[in-house]
Amino acid sequence: MTQNEGLCILLFVKYPEKGKVKLRLSRDLQEEVVQELYRCFVQDALVMIKKINIPFYICFYPPDSREKFQKWLGSTSQFLPQIGKNLGERMKQGFIDVFTKGYEKAILLGSDSPDIPGEYIKQAFALLETKEVVLGPAIDGGYYLIGFRTTTFTPSVFDDITWGSPLVFQETLTKITQAHRSVGTLPVWSDIDTIVDLKNLISRTRNTSFKSSNTMTYISQHHLLEKTNNGEKPGA
């Protein structure tokens, strides 16, 4: 058995339709710009995941948009539709799908943290050697990553959570505790939801390899932050 056999990653992605993604960023940036930024976020997440050499699934939403995703991200990737009435149901079903396929450990991450270090993904799988659940807390009170072993999968951690609120991480932690599961936590990281988050992204990646990413290239080419700082709402 190879080192990465039995492992898989679920990347949750929305189709980048104008006005349907990263709505809080649209308060300061034109919808066309936000749409393109989100495309860059997803592409950078995929670059990072592919370097790790662990099987991955692009979990797409809406669930009837497979052809659009294949056209955008290539038909050679493995795709899974996000099925469920809310985010919790969709994440729960994603884990059920891959554990049913026979994977032993799986982690799920969103596409809102384009510069998440690949080392965090490796660390998450390492934590699952000794812990039953792994969580990556986000600065805004949510989480950017969650993972289980097939033998410790706990569907209840996705039930009755106040999705989109600063309570998500704490409520999830409570559910894990109630289920008597041990949990390992990763370093805190930041989703890119607001213009402040975007400015922080630029600051923390200025002297890193991420400066040549799709996201940073787009920001630089379109002078987004300079225009925003001058009171403009940058267009495409």
Side-chain angles (χ1 to χ4, degrees):
M1 180 180 281
T2 63
Q3 184 182 357
N4 293 338
E5 196 171 331
L7 311 183
C8 89
I9 298 168
L10 299 166
L11 179 67
F12 262 45
V13 182
K14 277 186 180 179
Y15 191 76
E17 198 173 328
K18 192 170 82 168
K20 297 285 183 70
V21 291
K22 310 310 301 174
L23 299 183
R24 281 188 280 171
L25 268 177
S26 297
R27 296 171 189 169
D28 296 281
L29 301 170
Q30 294 285 358
E31 288 180 346
E32 293 87 351
V33 172
V34 174
Q35 179 186 22
E36 196 55 42
L37 269 177
Y38 182 70
R39 284 180 181 273
C40 293
F41 290 179
V42 173
Q43 288 158 346
D44 288 332
L46 285 170
V47 167
M48 179 272 291
I49 289 170
K50 288 173 182 177
K51 285 179 182 173
I52 299 174
N53 197 30
I54 288 174
F56 68 91
Y57 289 84
I58 297 169
C59 300
F60 60 91
Y61 188 85
D64 61 354
S65 55
R66 183 187 295 265
E67 287 184 10
K68 285 200 240 179
F69 271 90
Q70 288 176 330
K71 187 175 180 182
W72 172 30
L73 298 173
S75 56
T76 57
S77 291
Q78 299 187 95
F79 292 90
L80 277 176
Q82 293 183 35
I83 306 293
K85 296 176 190 170
N86 59 41
L87 180 59
E89 285 189 13
R90 297 197 293 270
M91 290 197 287
K92 184 192 298 187
Q93 189 60 49
F95 279 107
I96 290 170
D97 288 344
V98 294
F99 287 142
T100 302
K101 291 176 185 292
Y103 291 99
E104 296 166 7
K105 297 185 186 74
I107 64 160
L108 181 154
L109 65 155
S111 42
D112 303 328
S113 304
D115 66 325
I116 181 174
E119 284 304 313
Y120 286 14
I121 309 301
K122 296 175 187 174
Q123 193 178 335
F125 282 113
L127 279 168
L128 284 174
E129 295 291 326
T130 56
K131 301 293 184 181
E132 294 171 310
V133 187
V134 63
L135 271 180
I139 287 173
D140 64 4
Y143 57 80
Y144 62 85
L145 178 152
I146 187 167
F148 303 89
R149 302 180 228 150
T150 184
T151 53
T152 64
F153 177 51
T154 313
S156 61
V157 307
F158 299 110
D159 296 336
D160 304 315
I161 301 294
T162 317
W163 301 110
S165 81
L167 304 173
V168 170
F169 178 79
Q170 196 53 55
E171 289 178 350
T172 303
L173 209 53
T174 299
K175 296 271 186 182
I176 293 169
T177 304
Q178 289 171 344
H180 306 291
R181 296 295 196 197
S182 61
V183 60
T185 54
L186 295 166
V188 176
W189 202 252
S190 174
D191 291 338
I192 312 302
D193 292 320
T194 67
I195 197 70
V196 173
D197 296 333
L198 198 64
K199 289 177 179 179
N200 289 338
L201 173 72
I202 291 169
S203 297
R204 71 172 177 255
T205 60
R206 190 166 280 127
N207 297 312
T208 71
S209 59
F210 192 76
K211 66 185 178 185
S212 60
S213 65
N214 293 287
T215 300
M216 296 303 293
T217 300
Y218 182 79
I219 288 169
S220 174
Q221 287 176 346
H222 292 77
H223 309 288
L224 294 190
L225 270 293
E226 292 94 324
K227 291 178 181 177
T228 305
N229 288 335
N230 289 334
E232 300 177 47
K233 191 171 185 179

